[in-house]
Amino acid sequence: MTYAPGPYGYGHVPVPPPPKPGVIPLAPLDLGDVLSGAFGTYRRYWKVLLGVTAAAYGVAAVLVLTTGMLGWAAVTDALDRLADAPDPQAPGPAEMMPLFAALGVIWLAVVVGVLIATGLLHAAVAAVVQEAVLGRPARFGAVWRRAWSRLGSVLGALLLPTLVFLLPVVGFLIGFCCVVVGILVDIGSDERGLADGSAGLFLTGLLLFVLSLLTLPLALWVWIKYSLAPTAAVVESAGPLTALRRSSALVRGSWWRIFGCTLVMMLIVSGVGFVVQTALSLVGQVSVIDMDLSPDRGPTSVFAALTPLMGLITLVQFLAQAALAPLQPLASGLLYVDQRLRRENLGPVLAEAAAGPAA
């Protein structure tokens, strides 16, 4: 018995698999495809990804260190005057203002450095994903230039979800500080007025705790809703607002699936980071036990003995975090491609682009 040509299905010619010129098939992806595509991209382009990560964090480190050195040089004279002052009373606000200003500038430099490093990393990963889906090679120079050219748009696309997501975190930290200060003031004073003030601080901290918990679901919803914006800003050469609108349109109706894939990748990265941190902590504890840290050596000698070990542990931990940093943007980039495959039938376009010469 023979079968006449007809539609695919039982008793007919089997459905051909979708084309796969790169790290993922050009068809709607499931969780396994996203994870295997992310790790496959990392394995195939690890030199470019690690090079871009090191360069991005290097730019941030130079910015922070330069600002820190300038800030320290600006307050050195003020600190010397405070140390040599004959008055044993605590310094007033006028004397402490230069130190507070320097700390504020350093904190701002840290924030700006982290934002620049994050923006460069997201832009570079999006450029690598664009080539990985087509199965094309990616060179460090081309990826780095593309990341710098799209840095402004990527930072703009990252700013809104980052600020919204940080609101409950900042509220929680401020509430925690209010509770701690309120408890310390209440313990350290028997006067009625200070006790009332400590009660107000304690209640303010509890209120901030509650508000942080209430705003956390909204912040999480906004973060996932605009999680595809950095990739859209690079792949489509879109501005910040256009990228945010594109992410909102692509995520609409698929929020829970994108949230689940993102959460799984976050748990994997966090788990590996926790294992590395635990191993480094054990190594540090064993090394400290073997050291001679008796009180007879003096604090300066003990500090000098511990500094190389702490510096080495911090360096290894930083390198581990930097090595894991591209994984989350890789998953977001592949989810962006997946949503366009589902909504815009991008598969034939990508297959034709993969078969043609590189743009």
Side-chain angles (χ1 to χ4, degrees):
M1 181 177 179
T2 60
Y3 295 97
Y8 296 118
Y10 180 75
H12 300 283
V13 180
V15 179
K20 188 180 179 181
V23 295
I24 58 171
L26 301 182
L29 308 177
D30 55 20
L31 176 60
D33 293 328
V34 173
L35 295 179
S36 63
F39 287 105
T41 303
Y42 196 106
R43 183 172 59 252
R44 185 176 300 184
Y45 301 94
W46 66 272
K47 293 182 180 179
V48 176
L49 291 172
L50 292 183
V52 168
T53 303
Y57 281 96
V59 170
V62 169
L63 175 63
V64 173
L65 290 177
T66 303
T67 307
M69 293 173 62
L70 294 176
W72 178 258
V75 300
T76 300
D77 295 338
L79 292 177
D80 292 339
R81 287 195 301 269
L82 290 176
D84 298 336
D87 190 358
Q89 295 181 356
E95 291 81 4
M96 296 299 296
M97 188 58 65
L99 180 59
F100 290 151
L103 292 177
V105 172
I106 294 173
W107 178 82
L108 182 61
V110 171
V111 172
V112 173
V114 171
L115 285 177
I116 292 176
T118 304
L120 286 173
L121 181 61
H122 277 78
V125 169
V128 171
V129 167
Q130 192 172 8
E131 303 300 329
V133 170
L134 300 177
R136 292 173 176 170
R139 299 185 180 277
F140 174 82
V143 172
W144 185 248
R145 289 191 297 270
R146 184 78 183 279
W148 269 109
S149 66
R150 303 306 304 162
L151 178 60
S153 297
V154 172
L155 286 178
L158 286 172
L159 188 60
L160 175 61
T162 301
L163 289 178
V164 173
F165 191 73
L166 286 178
L167 282 178
V169 177
V170 173
F172 181 86
L173 292 177
I174 295 176
F176 177 78
C177 293
C178 289
V179 170
V180 171
V181 172
I183 293 175
L184 293 177
V185 170
D186 185 60
I187 293 175
S189 176
D190 295 331
E191 298 180 8
R192 182 62 180 173
L194 290 179
D196 292 339
S198 66
L201 286 173
F202 189 80
L203 292 177
T204 302
L206 292 181
L207 179 61
L208 289 174
F209 282 157
V210 174
L211 291 177
S212 299
L213 292 177
L214 291 178
T215 57
L216 184 59
L218 176 62
L220 184 61
W221 177 78
V222 172
W223 180 52
I224 296 297
K225 182 180 180 67
Y226 297 115
S227 61
L228 309 184
T231 307
V234 176
V235 175
E236 303 180 25
S237 298
L241 296 179
T242 303
L244 291 173
R245 287 194 293 266
R246 281 288 288 158
S247 178
S248 176
L250 292 173
V251 173
R252 187 179 298 117
S254 303
W255 190 94
W256 284 106
R257 188 174 61 82
I258 295 176
F259 169 72
C261 295
T262 304
L263 180 62
V264 170
M265 180 57 80
M266 287 182 62
L267 292 176
I268 293 174
V269 174
S270 301
V272 175
F274 176 77
V275 171
V276 173
Q277 185 175 1
T278 303
L280 290 175
S281 299
L282 292 176
V283 171
Q285 292 175 8
V286 172
S287 302
V288 168
I289 292 174
D290 294 337
M291 289 183 178
D292 181 15
L293 301 179
S294 59
D296 298 336
R297 297 187 60 180
T300 304
S301 178
V302 171
F303 179 78
L306 290 176
T307 298
L309 175 63
M310 295 298 103
L312 180 60
I313 291 177
T314 303
L315 177 62
V316 174
Q317 187 173 0
F318 172 79
L319 293 176
Q321 294 297 328
L324 295 172
L327 288 175
Q328 192 65 55
L330 282 174
S332 298
L334 293 176
L335 287 171
Y336 164 84
V337 177
D338 172 50
Q339 288 303 105
R340 293 195 63 182
L341 290 171
R342 293 173 183 271
R343 295 178 179 270
E344 302 173 359
N345 193 27
L346 194 63
V349 178
L350 292 178
E352 182 179 358

